[in-house]
Amino acid sequence: MVKLLDCTIRDGGYVNNWGFNKRYVKDLYNALDKSNYDYMEIGFRNISEHYNDLSNLWRTCKEEDISFIKKKNLQIAVMCDNSNFSINLFTDKSQSHIDMIRIAFHKNEMESAINNANELTKLNYEVCLNAMGTILYSDDELYELCKGYLSTSCNYLYIADSYGSMNIDDIYTIKNKILTYCLQINPNKKIKIGFHAHNNLQNGITNVMYCINNGFDIIDTTVMGMGRGAGNAPTELLLSNISNNPLYDPYNIIEFINKHMKLVFITNNWGYNIAYFISGHLNCHPTYVTKLLEQGIIDYIVIWKTIENIVKNNKNNKFDNVYLNEYLIDNKIIN
């Protein structure tokens, strides 16, 4: 049976600067546990000095920050930005509230991400490799990714639709390439594949349901799709789609939404947006759109041409604020 992971606190934190209070986090934990989810990703664990402007604890949550949760069947995960990772942030799993750690990395960080994953498996955690922007991997890069994954004891290799641009044909193609390459490299090792959806093209729930019905081992959702940019596949929609299984029922999530999410949505709107559609359509990192909107740039033609330039110059895989500002100044879009 596919594993279900809710990452509302981690990915949704991009919307409200990780400003969830502990009652919110505790109630979400209990609602997901009652809904028979397998994992709740409670935030990031990174080197805190890199986030001095982000004071809310779920961006760098430490062991003492999550000790208030009374653990039940639902397991707890955190994500690490590979560029801000330190093994010193972790003790052995036997001394931790955390069950699983996901390492998110860009393809130019692959080697260090593999090394970091190996260090974490020595501490007995479940470990996932999250290949951000997987749609932009060449066949050779996918092969190297598979070789790196198979060199570790990692539990899952994630296809991450970081730009919300993928459809089921893309997922089918990438998954089959991964399985083929892994079989070539090591035919005896069990491969477990995950999928992280974004919703820029409104494909999130469709893609997630495709993965569930086509042999994926773990998938991600967030409550009401709360997440960066256009958001994610919604937890409650997934539960509705699989509610023919008596284990799953969206009622507990609806109860949570009724208590906590209405004000959050009004205060911090997210979801489908033409600007994020443009970044998804052109396979570009969504933070570029976020920064354009923050500067009051709402002309969709300006946004399109800006993103098109970013993609043309191969700056779309990872956000580059210096490049963006130089382009905007050079083209007299800002002063």
Side-chain angles (χ1 to χ4, degrees):
M1 183 66 184
V2 64
K3 300 290 186 182
L4 308 180
L5 182 147
D6 181 278
C7 50
T8 304
I9 305 303
R10 198 271 307 167
D11 207 328
Y14 285 104
V15 175
N16 71 343
N17 193 30
W18 295 274
F20 306 102
N21 63 46
K22 288 188 176 182
R23 171 53 62 184
Y24 182 106
V25 174
K26 183 177 180 180
D27 286 354
L28 178 57
Y29 178 89
N30 290 330
L32 290 167
D33 183 70
K34 290 176 184 176
S35 302
N36 288 299
Y37 257 64
D38 299 284
Y39 299 93
M40 172 181 170
E41 192 166 68
I42 202 166
F44 284 95
R45 181 168 293 181
N46 288 318
I47 301 170
S48 59
E49 289 77 9
H50 289 266
Y51 301 100
N52 290 332
D53 59 329
L54 298 171
S55 59
N56 294 305
L57 59 86
W58 309 113
R59 191 61 174 94
T60 58
C61 60
K62 301 178 178 63
E63 202 64 43
E64 59 268 24
D65 297 327
I66 60 177
S67 61
F68 69 95
I69 290 180
K70 183 178 179 181
K71 287 185 70 175
K72 300 177 181 178
N73 292 324
L74 180 68
Q75 295 189 300
I76 292 177
V78 294
M79 179 171 277
C80 296
D81 291 317
N82 185 69
S83 58
N84 296 315
F85 174 86
S86 170
I87 193 63
N88 296 326
L89 297 172
F90 298 94
T91 61
D92 189 84
K93 181 185 173 188
S94 63
Q95 303 168 33
S96 174
H97 288 77
I98 296 170
D99 302 287
M100 185 164 73
I101 301 165
R102 308 204 298 171
I103 299 179
F105 61 97
H106 295 283
K107 57 184 178 180
N108 65 319
E109 303 170 337
M110 193 186 305
E111 184 177 351
S112 65
I114 299 300
N115 292 335
N116 292 334
N118 279 323
E119 291 300 308
L120 286 171
T121 57
K122 293 176 186 177
L123 297 177
N124 302 306
Y125 293 98
E126 290 185 84
V127 179
C128 306
L129 285 171
N130 288 254
M132 293 191 287
T134 318
I135 190 72
L136 296 182
Y137 275 61
S138 67
D139 287 355
D140 287 344
E141 288 166 339
L142 273 179
Y143 186 88
E144 289 303 311
L145 176 65
C146 293
K147 191 162 67 171
Y149 166 65
L150 291 172
S151 72
T152 71
S153 298
C154 286
N155 299 79
Y156 300 102
L157 173 60
Y158 258 86
I159 297 170
D161 185 16
S162 305
Y163 316 129
S165 61
M166 294 175 69
N167 57 41
I168 58 176
D169 290 336
D170 298 319
I171 298 169
Y172 171 85
T173 298
I174 292 175
K175 179 198 172 190
N176 280 356
K177 286 180 180 179
I178 288 173
L179 292 178
T180 299
Y181 296 153
C182 286
L183 189 63
Q184 291 173 0
I185 297 164
N186 185 348
N188 298 315
K189 184 163 181 177
K190 166 71 174 171
I191 310 304
K192 292 184 178 181
I193 302 178
F195 183 73
H196 177 79
H198 276 276
N199 215 19
N200 299 56
L201 304 185
Q202 294 289 277
N203 288 333
I205 194 65
T206 301
N207 288 344
V208 160
M209 291 309 303
Y210 172 82
C211 291
I212 286 176
N213 293 323
N214 286 275
F216 276 68
D217 299 284
I218 188 168
I219 59 93
D220 297 358
T221 61
T222 63
V223 175
M224 289 184 69
M226 187 180 187
R228 177 157 55 176
N232 303 67
T235 296
E236 65 278 5
L237 291 189
L238 171 60
L239 289 169
S240 174
N241 274 277
I242 60 175
S243 60
N244 59 323
N245 184 327
L247 286 174
Y248 303 108
D249 184 333
Y251 176 79
N252 291 296
I253 299 301
I254 299 306
E255 191 175 51
F256 172 83
I257 290 170
N258 190 57
K259 181 177 180 180
H260 288 287
M261 293 290 286
K262 289 185 287 188
L263 181 60
V264 171
F265 185 74
I266 292 168
T267 307
N268 306 280
N269 197 11
W270 65 90
Y272 180 68
N273 180 305
I274 290 297
Y276 286 110
F277 161 79
I278 292 169
S279 68
H281 176 72
L282 296 175
N283 281 322
C284 187
H285 197 289
T287 300
Y288 285 109
V289 166
T290 302
K291 294 299 182 182
L292 290 171
L293 295 176
E294 285 177 356
Q295 297 190 62
I297 299 168
I298 57 174
D299 185 311
Y300 295 140
I301 301 304
V302 172
I303 292 172
W304 180 290
K305 291 185 180 301
T306 301
I307 299 300
E308 196 172 47
N309 176 273
I310 289 165
V311 173
K312 179 181 177 181
N313 287 280
N314 296 315
K315 293 289 187 177
N316 52 318
N317 184 46
K318 186 175 182 180
F319 176 65
D320 186 333
N321 195 47
V322 173
Y323 181 84
L324 176 62
N325 283 330
E326 287 177 352
Y327 173 84
L328 295 176
I329 292 168
D330 290 346
N331 288 273
K332 298 183 176 16
I333 298 169
I334 63 172
N335 296 322

